[in-house]
Amino acid sequence: MTAEPSVVVAERYARGATVAAVVIAGFWHLGYDSVVTVANWGVYTRQWAAAVGWVLYLVVGVAGAVLLLRGGSRRWAWPLGVAALAVDVLLVLAAPAQVILPPNWAWGAVGWVAVIVFWRHRAAHLVAFLVADTALLVVSMVAVDAGSSQHVSRAIMVLLGAFTLQLGYNFGGHGLRTAAGWAARDSAARTEATARRAAAEAVAEDRAQRYRELHRATATLLAELAAGADPADPAIRRRAAAGAARLRRLMAETDDVPDPLLHELRAGADVAERRGVQVSLSVVGTVPQLPVDLRRALTEAPILGLSAARSVARVTVVASQQEVAVAVVADAPPVRLSQPRGVDLTHDRDGDQLWLETRWTGG
């Protein structure tokens, strides 16, 4: 199934934002955490804890990135978040005397992993994680008796600096996706409106063209009558009736009625009835929605048959989703028929009875 254009555009922006989040977290860990860990390796009293913390951060980050980029289950978000918080504990264990100094780099760094892990969750999850990260820092500072104003100021600076970037990126990335969705929907709406306007203009031009053709035919007939043609001549009467039926069909051609094809046939039958012809119309099946040019091709020959009928005409419509046939039987003289485009035309005579049928077969 093809997705909506607005959804496709929003997903592309979201994909770019998630990739950027993974890249930031990766560079942060490899470019900053690794350097700080190596530079302060001698400071750690439990170096194994520092090494495990560095590796655990990497594992959580990779797992979160894979789940995010491949659309994995979201139920692993909090287990990974808890594992990221464990990095805080490991680094405090590795260098308790340096709780708010660079060797304990996890306080601000784990937030970037959380951005990845909780990307597909509401922002409240990321905020809860950062609150837990802050609580762990406070508990650690109390446990190691690092409550001086200098330590508190440094802790506030580290947390606010990191959290501002992480929350800002999270809100900005999701805001960009929302804005992209709005822009895509507006663009799709404008495109649809332009297409509807172009279609309406094409239909109007087509109707105007056929009106001009009908006007020329009518003017020619009136000129012949003015030049002395006999109004009682059957050929003249049939041409006049056919012109009237075409004019009624032109007025009836609209898609705003439940059955446009039947509506147009009834318009032609109404013209014949005004001449005293007894017309019956039978419909079998449900007529599918057909474009106006196809309806015109199906009704052109039947209208000529109705226009030529002397006293009785029977119109039968047999329809299904794959086929539509319009047949006319009338006591009419021979009429001149032309093969319409897109439909099959069949006609025959039996005495004074004219039979003709137009048939459309869908794909």
Side-chain angles (χ1 to χ4, degrees):
M1 179 182 294
T2 303
E4 291 288 335
S6 59
V7 175
V8 173
V9 172
E11 289 298 331
R12 287 178 178 174
Y13 274 90
R15 180 73 176 178
T18 54
V19 171
V22 172
V23 170
I24 291 174
F27 274 93
W28 188 278
H29 188 53
L30 298 176
Y32 175 77
D33 301 340
S34 300
V35 173
V36 172
T37 301
V38 172
N40 294 278
W41 190 250
V43 177
Y44 294 116
T45 56
R46 297 179 178 86
Q47 294 176 337
W48 64 267
V52 172
W54 188 92
V55 173
L56 180 59
Y57 184 104
L58 183 62
V59 170
V60 173
V62 170
V66 170
L67 291 175
L68 175 61
L69 297 179
R70 295 190 176 182
S73 174
R74 296 193 295 179
R75 65 180 179 177
W76 292 102
W78 270 110
L80 291 174
V82 172
L85 291 174
V87 178
D88 292 340
V89 178
L90 285 168
L91 289 181
V92 172
L93 187 63
Q98 308 288 323
V99 67
I100 196 59
L101 294 175
N104 273 275
W105 46 262
W107 303 119
V110 293
W112 287 111
V113 171
V115 169
I116 299 173
V117 169
F118 296 108
W119 185 266
R120 294 180 295 168
H121 294 69
R122 291 181 299 170
H125 291 262
L126 177 60
V127 172
F129 176 89
L130 298 178
V131 170
D133 185 39
T134 304
L136 274 177
L137 175 58
V138 172
V139 170
S140 299
M141 291 174 66
V142 172
V144 300
D145 193 22
S148 67
S149 58
Q150 184 179 5
H151 285 109
V152 173
S153 298
R154 186 185 296 272
I156 293 174
M157 182 179 66
V158 169
L159 295 181
L160 286 182
F163 294 175
T164 299
L165 291 175
Q166 292 152 6
L167 288 173
Y169 183 82
N170 184 272
F171 290 139
H174 287 88
L176 180 62
R177 177 184 180 180
T178 302
W182 292 342
R185 284 191 290 273
D186 288 344
S187 177
R190 286 196 297 272
T191 301
E192 184 178 355
T194 301
R196 287 201 301 269
R197 184 176 62 187
E201 290 175 350
V203 170
E205 175 57 29
D206 181 70
R207 289 175 63 83
Q209 175 63 27
R210 286 189 294 115
Y211 177 80
R212 289 192 289 270
E213 293 175 355
L214 188 58
H215 180 269
R216 285 195 293 270
T218 303
T220 301
L221 181 59
L222 292 176
E224 292 178 9
L225 290 171
D230 184 3
D233 184 348
I236 295 294
R237 294 172 66 90
R238 285 196 297 274
R239 289 171 59 191
R246 289 192 179 103
L247 181 59
R248 288 296 299 269
R249 184 184 60 182
L250 181 63
M251 297 170 62
E253 278 184 0
T254 172
D255 291 323
D256 296 334
V257 295
D259 298 304
L261 180 70
L262 301 180
H263 185 62
E264 292 161 19
L265 285 173
R266 289 190 183 102
D270 183 61
V271 173
E273 288 176 338
R274 290 173 184 270
R275 293 189 296 106
V277 178
Q278 184 178 354
V279 181
S280 63
L281 175 62
S282 302
V283 181
V284 179
T286 301
V287 180
Q289 290 295 322
L290 301 173
V292 63
D293 56 340
L294 186 55
R295 298 200 307 266
R296 194 181 310 142
L298 280 170
T299 57
E300 178 63 22
I303 282 179
L304 290 176
L306 285 170
S307 302
R310 296 189 180 95
S311 60
V312 178
R314 184 173 67 253
V315 182
T316 305
V317 179
V318 179
S320 67
Q321 292 299 315
Q322 293 76 33
E323 188 176 58
V324 176
V326 181
V328 172
V329 179
D331 55 344
V335 295
R336 180 179 300 175
L337 300 171
S338 58
Q339 177 64 45
R341 297 178 61 183
V343 302
D344 296 325
L345 171 62
T346 307
H347 59 93
D348 196 4
R349 293 194 58 80
D350 184 9
D352 65 342
Q353 294 293 305
L354 170 68
W355 173 82
L356 58 87
E357 179 189 81
T358 53
R359 181 181 296 272
W360 165 79
T361 303

